[in-house]
Amino acid sequence: MFEDLIQMIRSLYKTEGFIPLHEPRFSMLDQKYVLSAIESTFVSSVGEYVNRFEQDLAAYVGAKRAVVTVNGTAALQVALRFAGVKADNEVITQPLTFVATANAIVYNGAHPVFIDVDRETMGLGPDALKEFLDRFAEKRNGGIYNRLSKRRIAAIVPMHTFGHPCRMDALMEHANAWGIPIVEDAAEALGSFYNGKHCGTFGKMGIFSFNGNKTITCGGGGAIVTDDEALAARIKHITTTAKISHPWKYVHDEIGYNFRMPNLNAALACAQLEQLTGFLEDKRNLAKEYASFFSDRKWGEFVLEPKKCQSNYWLNALILSNKNRRDELLKMTNEYRVMTRPIWRLMSDLQMFQNCQTDSLKNSKWLQERVVNLPSSVRL
Ligand SMILES: *Cc1c(COP(=O)(O)O)cnc(C)c1O
C-alpha cells in the first residue's frame, strides 16, 4: 500500500538510487570559503571566520551574541552550566528528543526529569510543565525544589522537534512564574520562528547544531545564543580554554574547555548560512508536496507547522494511524531504498535514564509509536 508514496518520493528527488533522510548540500561558495581558510593557514583555533560566523548567526536569529562551539552537545553542556545547573540538581526536559539533550544534563552532574510533549508541536507541553510544577515544585532557600526528590530544579530545556517550535509564550510564562531559567535546545530549529521570533532566542540561552544532518552544516559545530553580553563573554572565555587575551603572555585563569569551533569549520558555516534562505524555501516546497500527497490519505497525517509558527521543516514527519502501519511503512520504504526512520525511543525508556522521574508521558508514548521521518534533503 506504500507503493505510491515510494513513487512520489522518487519523483520529488528524481532518482532511482538510494534516497537518504537528510544529506548536506554544498556549492562553489562552500569550496571557496573552505579553500580560503586553508590558504590563510588559520584552520584551527583562531581565524576570521569564527568571528564572522558568530556575528552572522547572531544577526540572523536576532540575538545579541552567539558563541560557536565544536558541536551542539558541547554548546548545551556549557549553556546548562551557565544557566546555573550544578551537580545533583534536576533539569526538566522532554523524553521525545535526541539523546544529546539528556546527556548534556548528565555531563553537569544533574538529573533529567522527563515531562510530556504536546501532540501538535511534539515539543515540551506547557500544560504538562505547569501541572508538574504545581504538583512537585516548592520554593525554599531561594531556590525551587522538587518535593519528591528534594533536589533543586535548576533549568528547563524545551526542544523544537524536527524544527517545529514549542509553544514558547506559555512555556516562558510558567518558567518565569517559578523563576526557573529556560535553555532552548534549538539544535534542529535554525530558520524556525514562533510568532515571528526565532527559536532559541526566548530563553536565557538557546543552542544550535551544525552537524552533517542538520539544515546547514559545517561538518560538526554548534552555537550558544543569548542577549546577555556579559554571559556571552564568559561563555566565550570558558569554551576557548580560558586563556587571557594578550599579545604574548600565555596564561589561563580557570579550568576551561577546548570547545571552540575550528576556523576551517567556521568557513564552511559562513558559506552555508549565506545559502540558508534558499534551503528553507526548498524545504517549504518539499513539505507542501508531502502535505498535498497526504491530504487524501487516511493512513497517515503529515505534520504541519504549528499555529503562529514558521517551521524550517528540517525533517518531515508523518503520523501513521497505528504502530503496525508504521512498521510496515518503515520496512517497505527501506527495502525499496527510500530511507525512513522512526522517531526516537523515549529517553525514559533508555537504560541509562530509566530511573528518572516522568509524568504520564501520554502524548510522547502515542507519538513514539506512530511518527516516522521522510526524506527531507534540500533538492537545489
Ligand atoms: C543534533 C542535535 C543536538 C546536538 O548535536 P551535535 O551532533 O552535538 O551537534 C542536540 N539536540 C538535538 C535535539 C539534536 O537534534
Side-chain angles (χ1 to χ4, degrees), residues 26-199:
F26 298 119
S27 67
M28 292 307 290
L29 190 72
D30 300 297
Q31 294 191 23
K32 187 177 140 194
Y33 284 20
V34 171
L35 196 61
S36 95
I38 293 170
E39 283 168 347
S40 77
T41 76
F42 291 104
V43 293
S44 186
S45 52
V46 287
E48 65 182 55
Y49 282 115
V50 172
N51 300 334
R52 176 166 158 192
F53 184 50
E54 288 183 340
Q55 282 161 17
D56 291 355
L57 181 68
Y60 178 77
V61 303
K64 284 224 176 82
R65 287 280 305 270
V67 177
V68 295
T69 58
V70 69
N71 58 50
T73 310
L76 187 56
Q77 177 186 339
V78 172
L80 287 170
R81 172 177 165 162
F82 282 94
V85 176
K86 297 200 165 61
D88 218 35
N89 288 173
E90 289 182 346
V91 175
I92 296 173
T93 190
Q94 60 202 59
L96 207 57
T97 185
F98 177 59
V99 71
T101 313
N103 284 345
I105 293 168
V106 177
Y107 298 159
N108 283 285
H111 302 262
V113 172
F114 298 111
I115 298 302
D116 205 10
V117 298
D118 279 341
R119 266 243 210 137
E120 299 70 35
T121 67
M122 299 182 287
L124 187 62
D127 302 333
L129 176 68
K130 181 175 188 312
E131 207 169 292
F132 175 83
L133 290 172
D134 285 346
R135 181 151 169 224
F136 290 105
E138 65 177 343
K139 213 172 217 149
R140 60 179 163 86
N141 309 331
I144 307 302
Y145 286 78
N146 181 337
R147 274 183 231 275
L148 190 69
S149 65
K150 313 293 181 209
R151 295 186 186 119
R152 192 174 81 94
I153 303 172
I156 298 167
V157 183
M159 197 282 281
H160 306 288
T161 302
F162 306 142
H164 295 297
C166 298
R167 284 162 56 200
M168 283 315 300
D169 52 358
L171 286 174
M172 288 304 296
E173 185 190 324
H174 301 323
N176 288 340
W178 286 94
I180 305 172
I182 283 190
V183 175
E184 294 172 70
D185 184 343
E188 306 180 354
L190 186 68
S192 295
F193 296 81
Y194 176 87
N195 239 341
K197 189 170 158 64
H198 199 288
C199 287

Side-chain angles (χ1 to χ4, degrees), residues 218-322:
C218 59
I224 300 168
V225 300
T226 181
D227 282 335
D228 184 334
E229 309 238 13
L231 179 63
R234 283 282 297 132
I235 292 172
K236 183 74 185 175
H237 185 63
I238 212 155
T239 53
T240 56
T241 70
K243 181 186 174 295
I244 296 173
S245 176
H246 191 275
W248 46 267
K249 275 189 199 165
Y250 198 48
V251 181
H252 303 81
D253 64 351
E254 61 185 311
I255 294 180
Y257 303 92
N258 182 11
F259 279 175
R260 60 187 141 206
M261 178 186 284
N263 198 49
L264 190 60
N265 299 77
L268 184 51
C270 287
Q272 287 268 293
L273 190 58
E274 282 185 38
Q275 299 164 82
L276 175 61
T277 306
F279 289 180
L280 291 172
E281 236 168 71
D282 187 64
K283 291 176 86 65
R284 282 193 90 70
N285 288 333
L286 184 63
K288 233 180 258 171
E289 303 244 21
Y290 277 127
S292 109
F293 176 86
F294 286 110
S295 63
D296 56 357
R297 302 285 191 298
K298 291 222 161 42
W299 47 268
E301 178 196 335
F302 184 70
V303 179
L304 292 167
E305 61 196 355
K307 286 186 261 337
K308 299 194 289 186
C309 293
Q310 188 172 332
S311 298
N312 64 4
Y313 288 102
W314 169 53
L315 284 188
N316 290 296
L318 179 67
I319 303 178
L320 280 300
S321 46
N322 60 56

